[in-house]
């Protein structure tokens, strides 16, 4: 009863100030006993701060406590799994790092290769610039007219026809030489050869052409353009069709190599001439060794070409896509020693005709005169060799038809001639004059296709072909 007396006294004492804010509550405690609670609002204090902590600090302390408990649980319950996951993550990072470093090394190698190509192109550009400066500064000298025998049957050559050597021992023959203005001679005296003037037979165009068998070249038609190259890499190159194609490629397949650059390896294949004209290759092969210039050819399912910076000939088998044979061409000049007059490291020119595979080149022993060798198409062994009396550096290009060598006088003149023929069957050569047109003024490749009886050519970015007529020179 005394408790109620105290409560009543408190009520009386604070009744005036607390008024209706006082409350009384009775409830069981945790140990089952009845517990009384009496609450009265303070008339002066709005809150009851804890000693030494404000509300913000107390809330922060509470949150820190919760975080500490969470960290302790994670460390205690997941320490083992964290250890294993850490080692796996470290291994994954190491693999990623190694991959990135490998890709970086590959990019560096590619950059170095491109840098080398740029340097080669810059060097070539500088050489062309120096050559242009030399030609500008060269004085223009008047050439004396050639002396010819005064008789009714003699032939006076025109300005596009050159004189060639005839080793007869006659020291009283004509020693002059007419040159195409586009030919460049570092030493004109070395390039010229003495020759006797011979009569040039006109082609017989009235009689029937030799369609089924072999004959002399008597006519070359106007060039037909098939495609223009897309970039500077196609200023000059070589294109081919296999006259005796084998599986898996047919006779309509067209092959192309862009020959500009120091590391020429790509061989593009097209299903037919229409696809070539559209520019859609169906096959692109990467040759295992780089190509030297525009002297390659295609025969019996293989690409034949000269390896860069060497006199080595290679046979690349299209079916296995591997080198099937290799052989050095004995004593052949290479890389600018005996090129055609247009340059381009065209020292060794491979050709196909009705009689098989040929190499057109020169040697020191021949003193720059064209040498012809017939090759075994399987192992590239030399089967026979002929030495002509015409300098390789004095003609723009050469090709074989029916075992006969033909040369083109100029690579830039729009109206030039096929000016010389050498017959390997008789080992005799003679001067001829068959009209030939360089429509685009920079013809870097001329080859014969015996299956289609056409000349394939690459003229200043343009892929062109010429129909030919064979007959009898009279």
């Amino acid at each position: 009863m005394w408790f109620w007396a105290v409560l009543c006294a408190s009520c009386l004492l604070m009744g005036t100030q607390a008024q209706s804010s006082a409350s009384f509550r009775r409830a069981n405690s945790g140990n089952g006993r009845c517990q009384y609670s009496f609450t009265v609002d303070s008339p002066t204090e709005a809150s009851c701060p804890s000693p030494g902590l404000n509300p913000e600090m107390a809330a922060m302390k509470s949150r820190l406590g919760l975080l500490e408990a969470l960290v302790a649980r994670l460390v205690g319950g997941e320490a083992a799994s964290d250890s294993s996951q850490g080692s796996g993550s470290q291994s994954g990072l190491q693999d990623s790092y190694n991959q990135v470093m490998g890709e970086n090394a590959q990019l560096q190698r590619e950059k170095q290769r491109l840098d080398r190509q740029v340097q080669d192109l810059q060097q070539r550009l500088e050489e062309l610039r120096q050559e242009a400066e030399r030609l500008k500064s060269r004085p223009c000298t008047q050439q004396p007219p050639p002396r010819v025998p005064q008789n009714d049957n003699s032939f006076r050559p025109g300005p596009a026809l050159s004189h060639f050597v005839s080793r007869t021992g006659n020291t009283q023959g004509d020693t002059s030489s007419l040159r195409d203005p586009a030919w460049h001679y570092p030493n004109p005296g070395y390039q010229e050869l003495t020759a006797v003037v011979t009569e040039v037979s006109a082609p017989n165009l009235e009689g029937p052409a030799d369609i089924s068998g072999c004959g002399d070249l008597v006519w070359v038609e106007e060039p037909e353009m098939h495609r223009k190259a897309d970039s500077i890499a196609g200023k000059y190159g070589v294109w081919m069709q296999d006259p005796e194609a084998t599986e898996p490629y047919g006779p309509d397949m067209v092959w192309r190599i862009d020959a500009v650059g120091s590391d020429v390896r790509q061989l593009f294949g097209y299903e037919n001439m229409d696809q070539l004209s559209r520019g859609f290759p169906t096959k692109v092969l990467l040759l295992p060794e780089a190509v030297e210039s525009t002297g390659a050819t295609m025969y019996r399912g293989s690409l034949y070409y000269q390896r860069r910076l060497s006199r080595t000939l290679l046979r690349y088998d299209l079916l296995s896509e591997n080198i099937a044979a290799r052989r050095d061409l004995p004593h052949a000049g290479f890389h600018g020693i005996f090129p055609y007059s247009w340059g381009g490291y065209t020292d060794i020119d491979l050709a196909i005709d009705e009689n098989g595979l040929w190499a057109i080149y020169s040697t020191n022993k021949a003193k720059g005169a064209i040498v012809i060798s017939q090759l075994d198409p399987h192992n590239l062994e030399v089967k026979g060799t002929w030495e002509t009396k015409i300098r390789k550096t004095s003609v723009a290009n050469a090709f074989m038809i029916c075992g006969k060598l033909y040369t083109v006088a100029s690579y830039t003149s729009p109206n030039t001639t096929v000016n010389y023929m050498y017959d390997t069957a008789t080992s005799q050569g003679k001067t001829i004059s068959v009209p030939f047109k360089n429509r685009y003024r920079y013809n870097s490749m001329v080859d014969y296709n015996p299956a289609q009886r056409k000349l394939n050519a690459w003229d200043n970015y343009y892929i062109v072909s010429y129909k030919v007529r064979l007959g009898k020179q009279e």
Side-chain angles (χ1 to χ4, degrees), residues 2 149 187 272 400 418:
W2 61 269
N187 184 356
N272 48 46
M400 300 293 297
V418 178

Side-chain angles (χ1 to χ4, degrees), residues 9 38 56 72 90 95 97 103 106 121 152 163 204 245 283 311 338-339 345 374 384 396 403 424 426 443 460 473:
F38 184 77
E56 291 80 2
Q90 183 177 3
D95 293 342
Y97 174 78
E103 292 175 353
Q106 183 177 357
L121 290 175
D152 294 338
H163 295 245
N204 178 15
K283 187 76 173 179
R311 60 171 61 92
F338 302 115
Y345 305 125
Q374 189 170 18
T424 58
T426 63
N443 207 327
N460 203 12
Q473 293 275 356

Side-chain angles (χ1 to χ4, degrees), residues 25 80 88 95 101 109 132 153 176 184 193 212 273 289 306-307 319 323 326 346 348 359 391 413 418 438 452 462 466:
R25 181 171 176 272
D95 293 342
M101 291 303 293
R109 290 192 296 269
N153 295 326
S176 64
H184 307 312
L193 295 175
S212 59
M273 291 299 299
E289 300 183 53
Q306 175 192 357
R307 189 182 69 179
L319 179 61
I323 299 296
R326 68 173 64 232
T346 49
I348 300 176
R391 262 191 213 291
S413 176
V418 178
N438 297 309
Q452 299 183 358
Y462 289 90
Y466 305 77

Side-chain angles (χ1 to χ4, degrees), residues 94-119:
Q94 184 65 36
D95 293 342
S96 300
Y97 174 78
N98 292 337
Q99 182 179 358
V100 169
M101 291 303 293
E103 292 175 353
N104 181 63
Q106 183 177 357
L107 290 174
Q108 289 294 331
R109 290 192 296 269
E110 183 68 17
K111 178 179 180 298
Q112 292 173 359
R113 186 182 66 81
L114 293 175
D115 288 342
R116 288 195 298 270
Q117 289 186 357
V118 170
Q119 291 175 0

